[in-house]
Amino acid sequence: MSTPEPHRFWQDGPLAIHGGCEAEVLTLAPVDLQALPDPRRSIRDALQHAEDYPPIHQAIVPGDRIAVVVDPNLPSLFDCVAGVLDAIASDANGEIEVVLGEDASEATLQRLTEVVGNQAKVHRHDPDDQATLGYLAASEAADPIYLNRMILEADFVIPLAIARPDGALDPRCEAGGVFPQFADRRSQQRVRDAQFFGRPSEAAPNTARKQADEAAWLLGIQMVVEVLPTVDARAAEIVAGTPGGVRRKLTSSIESSWQRSAPNPPSLVIACIDGDDQQQNWNNVARALHVARGLVEVGGAIAICCDLTDTPGPALRRLASDASYEDLQKATRKDLTREGMIANVLLRAREESRIVVASGLPREPLEEMGLGAIETREQLQNLVDKYSHTVVVRAAQFCVATVGEADET
């Protein structure tokens, strides 16, 4: 597979941001992650040498219906799915369904369909389509859990998830990303409420991670595959096995690569969304904002550097309203859509900091939402010149960043 195209701020070479005479610029990015030369082969090998789990060909019974459940932002997505199909094709005589998360772009859906050919059928999850959902069980809190029907009816489920650090916007859990990403809309909202509005204590009964782990246990997830990303959203390491085995194998790599820190709160954070066109979406904008909020000083500024072209939907356009912060927060909380969660993250960040966006979007919709717009590298450098301390976070959609001892980058 070809190397993913960089977004336009990268097209003329690395983003060269420098400070003025008295300004300081610190870049947070892993320095030792190299892309795998052949991710397709690597994932085949991972499935044959899984952590605490037998080789994949011993786990599949001929005739099994198999669901390959995929985060559409997965590094080296097409190679990874093709490698999974290589590993199971000779052992699986039943149907193989590849299920992508709802934020898969049309281009990603079409290209993956071409890549898999007649080996499998490719679908995009729709949490609002009741016909494609099935009842799993009631949660400990007596809430009904509905999941994508193809996952429920499969004899064997292979989740492909991004290896994310603890503290990211998406909780790392035993489900391998299956829940809540492939659940019904109301289940997704319950997880979102626990994440944003629940108690901070890990002992709270309805935390996002606990709900996800409970769903994984109810579904009977036996094996997951996690992919550690590089800065440019390619696969650096691929591990398959039991959820516990994968966590044990990858935790050190995740922490050393994607848990970053700055010595002091910066006055400006530039959060970059690196990778191909699939990475340039509003979900990753929310992830990048989540990272930047954890770094920037009170009253500081956040610049999201991406190549986003998706027009804001109704939930995001609601932020153009003159309503109070409290009323907007209530409205975004009631919004069941994924964009409602994104709007909530953006609303909170906008209340705390100045937000500007460098993207492929026109200036007008951004300014209507209370955001600034940057259209050139020169404008971005001019912004840096106005602040005394800037931190640039590369591939912010994959990391967690905090204020503490500085990283060596």
Side-chain angles (χ1 to χ4, degrees), residues 41-95:
R41 179 175 180 176
S42 294
I43 200 167
R44 290 200 308 265
D45 292 345
L47 289 167
Q48 296 302 333
H49 303 91
E51 299 293 319
D52 302 334
Y53 201 78
I56 190 70
H57 69 273
Q58 294 182 14
I60 295 175
V61 177
D64 275 353
R65 297 182 63 180
I66 299 173
V68 183
V69 185
V70 188
D71 185 327
N73 298 305
L74 191 79
S76 304
L77 168 68
F78 307 110
D79 279 323
C80 286
V81 173
V84 170
L85 296 181
D86 290 344
I88 66 177
S90 61
D91 299 304
N93 300 320
E95 294 181 359

Side-chain angles (χ1 to χ4, degrees), residues 98-125:
V98 177
V99 188
L100 288 167
E102 66 174 304
D103 52 330
S105 67
E106 283 296 329
T108 295
L109 188 66
Q110 292 174 12
R111 185 179 173 193
L112 186 60
T113 301
E114 295 170 358
V115 168
V116 305
N118 60 6
Q119 290 181 288
K121 296 178 182 178
V122 180
H123 312 267
R124 181 169 51 198
H125 177 62

